[in-house]
mmCIF file of all heavy atoms in Angstrom:
data_model
loop_
_atom_site.group_PDB
_atom_site.id
_atom_site.type_symbol
_atom_site.label_atom_id
_atom_site.label_comp_id
_atom_site.label_asym_id
_atom_site.label_seq_id
_atom_site.Cartn_x
_atom_site.Cartn_y
_atom_site.Cartn_z
ATOM 1 N N PRO A 1 1.656 -143.389 55.916
ATOM 2 C CA PRO A 1 2.750 -143.274 56.883
ATOM 3 C C PRO A 1 2.425 -143.979 58.190
ATOM 4 O O PRO A 1 1.298 -143.929 58.676
ATOM 5 C CB PRO A 1 2.870 -141.765 57.107
ATOM 6 C CG PRO A 1 1.535 -141.215 56.761
ATOM 7 C CD PRO A 1 0.960 -142.122 55.699
ATOM 8 N N VAL A 2 3.411 -144.662 58.732
ATOM 9 C CA VAL A 2 3.291 -145.267 60.054
ATOM 10 C C VAL A 2 3.875 -144.247 61.033
ATOM 11 O O VAL A 2 5.065 -143.965 61.008
ATOM 12 C CB VAL A 2 4.056 -146.609 60.130
ATOM 13 C CG1 VAL A 2 3.998 -147.172 61.542
ATOM 14 C CG2 VAL A 2 3.489 -147.595 59.119
ATOM 15 N N LEU A 3 3.040 -143.670 61.861
ATOM 16 C CA LEU A 3 3.461 -142.585 62.733
ATOM 17 C C LEU A 3 3.938 -143.064 64.094
ATOM 18 O O LEU A 3 4.518 -142.292 64.851
ATOM 19 C CB LEU A 3 2.321 -141.576 62.906
ATOM 20 C CG LEU A 3 1.834 -140.924 61.607
ATOM 21 C CD1 LEU A 3 0.651 -140.019 61.893
ATOM 22 C CD2 LEU A 3 2.954 -140.174 60.925
ATOM 23 N N GLY A 4 3.691 -144.322 64.431
ATOM 24 C CA GLY A 4 4.163 -144.817 65.710
ATOM 25 C C GLY A 4 3.504 -146.127 66.086
ATOM 26 O O GLY A 4 2.735 -146.705 65.332
ATOM 27 N N THR A 5 3.824 -146.557 67.286
ATOM 28 C CA THR A 5 3.261 -147.782 67.839
ATOM 29 C C THR A 5 2.184 -147.414 68.855
ATOM 30 O O THR A 5 1.925 -146.242 69.099
ATOM 31 C CB THR A 5 4.349 -148.601 68.549
ATOM 32 O OG1 THR A 5 4.786 -147.856 69.698
ATOM 33 C CG2 THR A 5 5.527 -148.875 67.631
ATOM 34 N N ARG A 6 1.614 -148.407 69.476
ATOM 35 C CA ARG A 6 0.598 -148.116 70.490
ATOM 36 C C ARG A 6 1.178 -147.300 71.630
ATOM 37 O O ARG A 6 0.489 -146.507 72.237
ATOM 38 C CB ARG A 6 -0.050 -149.392 71.004
ATOM 39 C CG ARG A 6 0.729 -150.079 72.099
ATOM 40 C CD ARG A 6 -0.146 -150.985 72.897
ATOM 41 N NE ARG A 6 0.304 -152.359 72.799
ATOM 42 C CZ ARG A 6 -0.290 -153.335 73.429
ATOM 43 N NH1 ARG A 6 -1.347 -153.121 74.154
ATOM 44 N NH2 ARG A 6 0.145 -154.551 73.325
ATOM 45 N N HIS A 7 2.458 -147.465 71.882
ATOM 46 C CA HIS A 7 3.085 -146.752 72.986
ATOM 47 C C HIS A 7 3.228 -145.257 72.705
ATOM 48 O O HIS A 7 3.363 -144.469 73.639
ATOM 49 C CB HIS A 7 4.438 -147.382 73.312
ATOM 50 C CG HIS A 7 4.328 -148.849 73.619
ATOM 51 N ND1 HIS A 7 3.711 -149.328 74.759
ATOM 52 C CD2 HIS A 7 4.710 -149.934 72.909
ATOM 53 C CE1 HIS A 7 3.731 -150.651 74.739
ATOM 54 N NE2 HIS A 7 4.332 -151.050 73.639
ATOM 55 N N SER A 8 3.196 -144.871 71.438
ATOM 56 C CA SER A 8 3.290 -143.457 71.091
ATOM 57 C C SER A 8 1.956 -142.883 70.627
ATOM 58 O O SER A 8 1.897 -141.740 70.179
ATOM 59 C CB SER A 8 4.357 -143.251 70.007
ATOM 60 O OG SER A 8 4.033 -143.991 68.849
ATOM 61 N N LEU A 9 0.882 -143.651 70.746
ATOM 62 C CA LEU A 9 -0.417 -143.233 70.223
ATOM 63 C C LEU A 9 -0.876 -141.899 70.802
ATOM 64 O O LEU A 9 -1.323 -141.019 70.072
ATOM 65 C CB LEU A 9 -1.471 -144.316 70.479
ATOM 66 C CG LEU A 9 -2.876 -144.016 69.960
ATOM 67 C CD1 LEU A 9 -2.879 -143.783 68.457
ATOM 68 C CD2 LEU A 9 -3.826 -145.151 70.321
ATOM 69 N N ARG A 10 -0.762 -141.728 72.088
ATOM 70 C CA ARG A 10 -1.202 -140.490 72.722
ATOM 71 C C ARG A 10 -0.481 -139.277 72.117
ATOM 72 O O ARG A 10 -1.091 -138.276 71.779
ATOM 73 C CB ARG A 10 -0.970 -140.531 74.221
ATOM 74 C CG ARG A 10 -1.455 -139.290 74.943
ATOM 75 C CD ARG A 10 -1.150 -139.333 76.409
ATOM 76 N NE ARG A 10 -1.444 -140.656 76.948
ATOM 77 C CZ ARG A 10 -1.543 -140.951 78.211
ATOM 78 N NH1 ARG A 10 -1.364 -140.013 79.111
ATOM 79 N NH2 ARG A 10 -1.800 -142.155 78.625
ATOM 80 N N ASP A 11 0.837 -139.396 71.966
ATOM 81 C CA ASP A 11 1.622 -138.299 71.396
ATOM 82 C C ASP A 11 1.295 -138.076 69.922
ATOM 83 O O ASP A 11 1.180 -136.936 69.465
ATOM 84 C CB ASP A 11 3.122 -138.570 71.543
ATOM 85 C CG ASP A 11 3.570 -138.531 72.991
ATOM 86 O OD1 ASP A 11 2.908 -137.869 73.820
ATOM 87 O OD2 ASP A 11 4.599 -139.163 73.306
ATOM 88 N N VAL A 12 1.143 -139.155 69.177
ATOM 89 C CA VAL A 12 0.820 -139.043 67.747
ATOM 90 C C VAL A 12 -0.521 -138.333 67.564
ATOM 91 O O VAL A 12 -0.653 -137.448 66.719
ATOM 92 C CB VAL A 12 0.815 -140.435 67.073
ATOM 93 C CG1 VAL A 12 0.173 -140.383 65.699
ATOM 94 C CG2 VAL A 12 2.226 -140.993 66.985
ATOM 95 N N LEU A 13 -1.508 -138.692 68.371
ATOM 96 C CA LEU A 13 -2.814 -138.047 68.262
ATOM 97 C C LEU A 13 -2.745 -136.561 68.612
ATOM 98 O O LEU A 13 -3.470 -135.750 68.047
ATOM 99 C CB LEU A 13 -3.843 -138.757 69.155
ATOM 100 C CG LEU A 13 -4.234 -140.166 68.716
ATOM 101 C CD1 LEU A 13 -5.139 -140.815 69.755
ATOM 102 C CD2 LEU A 13 -4.896 -140.163 67.349
ATOM 103 N N ALA A 14 -1.841 -136.213 69.521
ATOM 104 C CA ALA A 14 -1.702 -134.813 69.928
ATOM 105 C C ALA A 14 -0.892 -133.995 68.921
ATOM 106 O O ALA A 14 -1.169 -132.810 68.724
ATOM 107 C CB ALA A 14 -1.049 -134.736 71.307
ATOM 108 N N LEU A 15 0.091 -134.617 68.283
ATOM 109 C CA LEU A 15 1.012 -133.883 67.413
ATOM 110 C C LEU A 15 0.579 -133.785 65.955
ATOM 111 O O LEU A 15 0.957 -132.856 65.251
ATOM 112 C CB LEU A 15 2.402 -134.525 67.459
ATOM 113 C CG LEU A 15 3.136 -134.435 68.790
ATOM 114 C CD1 LEU A 15 4.400 -135.281 68.759
ATOM 115 C CD2 LEU A 15 3.480 -132.989 69.095
ATOM 116 N N TYR A 16 -0.170 -134.753 65.485
ATOM 117 C CA TYR A 16 -0.550 -134.815 64.071
ATOM 118 C C TYR A 16 -2.056 -134.674 63.929
ATOM 119 O O TYR A 16 -2.809 -134.962 64.848
ATOM 120 C CB TYR A 16 -0.102 -136.141 63.446
ATOM 121 C CG TYR A 16 1.389 -136.350 63.469
ATOM 122 C CD1 TYR A 16 1.995 -137.041 64.522
ATOM 123 C CD2 TYR A 16 2.196 -135.863 62.455
ATOM 124 C CE1 TYR A 16 3.366 -137.238 64.548
ATOM 125 C CE2 TYR A 16 3.569 -136.061 62.476
ATOM 126 C CZ TYR A 16 4.143 -136.746 63.524
ATOM 127 O OH TYR A 16 5.499 -136.948 63.556
ATOM 128 N N GLN A 17 -2.478 -134.274 62.761
ATOM 129 C CA GLN A 17 -3.910 -134.202 62.480
ATOM 130 C C GLN A 17 -4.352 -135.563 61.938
ATOM 131 O O GLN A 17 -4.624 -135.724 60.752
ATOM 132 C CB GLN A 17 -4.210 -133.077 61.491
ATOM 133 C CG GLN A 17 -3.914 -131.712 62.057
ATOM 134 C CD GLN A 17 -4.190 -130.608 61.064
ATOM 135 O OE1 GLN A 17 -4.186 -130.820 59.854
ATOM 136 N NE2 GLN A 17 -4.431 -129.420 61.574
ATOM 137 N N VAL A 18 -4.416 -136.520 62.836
ATOM 138 C CA VAL A 18 -4.753 -137.893 62.467
ATOM 139 C C VAL A 18 -6.229 -137.961 62.096
ATOM 140 O O VAL A 18 -7.091 -137.508 62.838
ATOM 141 C CB VAL A 18 -4.442 -138.858 63.639
ATOM 142 C CG1 VAL A 18 -4.888 -140.267 63.309
ATOM 143 C CG2 VAL A 18 -2.959 -138.813 63.983
ATOM 144 N N ARG A 19 -6.504 -138.514 60.917
ATOM 145 C CA ARG A 19 -7.899 -138.653 60.467
ATOM 146 C C ARG A 19 -8.488 -140.003 60.853
ATOM 147 O O ARG A 19 -9.691 -140.132 61.016
ATOM 148 C CB ARG A 19 -7.990 -138.472 58.958
ATOM 149 C CG ARG A 19 -7.684 -137.047 58.531
ATOM 150 C CD ARG A 19 -7.854 -136.862 57.071
ATOM 151 N NE ARG A 19 -6.860 -137.696 56.373
ATOM 152 C CZ ARG A 19 -6.710 -137.742 55.073
ATOM 153 N NH1 ARG A 19 -7.481 -137.024 54.298
ATOM 154 N NH2 ARG A 19 -5.796 -138.507 54.525
ATOM 155 N N GLU A 20 -7.611 -141.013 61.000
ATOM 156 C CA GLU A 20 -8.082 -142.343 61.365
ATOM 157 C C GLU A 20 -6.891 -143.170 61.828
ATOM 158 O O GLU A 20 -5.799 -143.041 61.294
ATOM 159 C CB GLU A 20 -8.744 -143.020 60.159
ATOM 160 C CG GLU A 20 -9.363 -144.357 60.462
ATOM 161 C CD GLU A 20 -10.119 -144.938 59.270
ATOM 162 O OE1 GLU A 20 -9.776 -144.612 58.114
ATOM 163 O OE2 GLU A 20 -11.048 -145.703 59.501
ATOM 164 N N VAL A 21 -7.118 -144.021 62.813
ATOM 165 C CA VAL A 21 -6.094 -144.948 63.289
ATOM 166 C C VAL A 21 -6.432 -146.327 62.738
ATOM 167 O O VAL A 21 -7.565 -146.802 62.870
ATOM 168 C CB VAL A 21 -6.043 -144.976 64.832
ATOM 169 C CG1 VAL A 21 -5.147 -146.097 65.324
ATOM 170 C CG2 VAL A 21 -5.570 -143.634 65.367
ATOM 171 N N LEU A 22 -5.444 -146.953 62.109
ATOM 172 C CA LEU A 22 -5.621 -148.292 61.562
ATOM 173 C C LEU A 22 -4.795 -149.269 62.384
ATOM 174 O O LEU A 22 -3.596 -149.071 62.564
ATOM 175 C CB LEU A 22 -5.154 -148.338 60.103
ATOM 176 C CG LEU A 22 -5.812 -147.343 59.157
ATOM 177 C CD1 LEU A 22 -5.199 -147.460 57.767
ATOM 178 C CD2 LEU A 22 -7.309 -147.541 59.111
ATOM 179 N N VAL A 23 -5.451 -150.301 62.875
ATOM 180 C CA VAL A 23 -4.758 -151.376 63.591
ATOM 181 C C VAL A 23 -4.511 -152.462 62.555
ATOM 182 O O VAL A 23 -5.437 -153.149 62.127
ATOM 183 C CB VAL A 23 -5.604 -151.903 64.773
ATOM 184 C CG1 VAL A 23 -4.895 -153.050 65.461
ATOM 185 C CG2 VAL A 23 -5.912 -150.778 65.749
ATOM 186 N N ALA A 24 -3.252 -152.579 62.120
ATOM 187 C CA ALA A 24 -2.901 -153.483 61.025
ATOM 188 C C ALA A 24 -2.445 -154.831 61.565
ATOM 189 O O ALA A 24 -1.276 -155.191 61.505
ATOM 190 C CB ALA A 24 -1.820 -152.850 60.160
ATOM 191 N N MET A 25 -3.406 -155.566 62.110
ATOM 192 C CA MET A 25 -3.137 -156.903 62.651
ATOM 193 C C MET A 25 -4.354 -157.768 62.391
ATOM 194 O O MET A 25 -5.481 -157.313 62.555
ATOM 195 C CB MET A 25 -2.916 -156.842 64.162
ATOM 196 C CG MET A 25 -1.723 -156.035 64.608
ATOM 197 S SD MET A 25 -1.639 -155.941 66.412
ATOM 198 C CE MET A 25 -1.092 -157.595 66.794
ATOM 199 N N PRO A 26 -4.149 -159.029 62.011
ATOM 200 C CA PRO A 26 -5.299 -159.898 61.766
ATOM 201 C C PRO A 26 -6.111 -160.201 63.029
ATOM 202 O O PRO A 26 -7.323 -160.235 62.985
ATOM 203 C CB PRO A 26 -4.709 -161.172 61.181
ATOM 204 C CG PRO A 26 -3.240 -161.006 61.158
ATOM 205 C CD PRO A 26 -2.883 -159.663 61.693
ATOM 206 N N LYS A 27 -5.447 -160.424 64.154
ATOM 207 C CA LYS A 27 -6.156 -160.750 65.394
ATOM 208 C C LYS A 27 -5.519 -159.966 66.541
ATOM 209 O O LYS A 27 -4.772 -160.516 67.348
ATOM 210 C CB LYS A 27 -6.091 -162.247 65.679
ATOM 211 C CG LYS A 27 -6.830 -163.088 64.670
ATOM 212 C CD LYS A 27 -6.736 -164.556 65.011
ATOM 213 C CE LYS A 27 -7.469 -165.386 63.963
ATOM 214 N NZ LYS A 27 -7.369 -166.807 64.222
#
């Protein structure tokens, strides 16, 4: 699941039990 963008990262980390953040970009 994609839970948000970088702009929502703080909220996503607070609201969900995130096990790992993946940055899906080559560079």
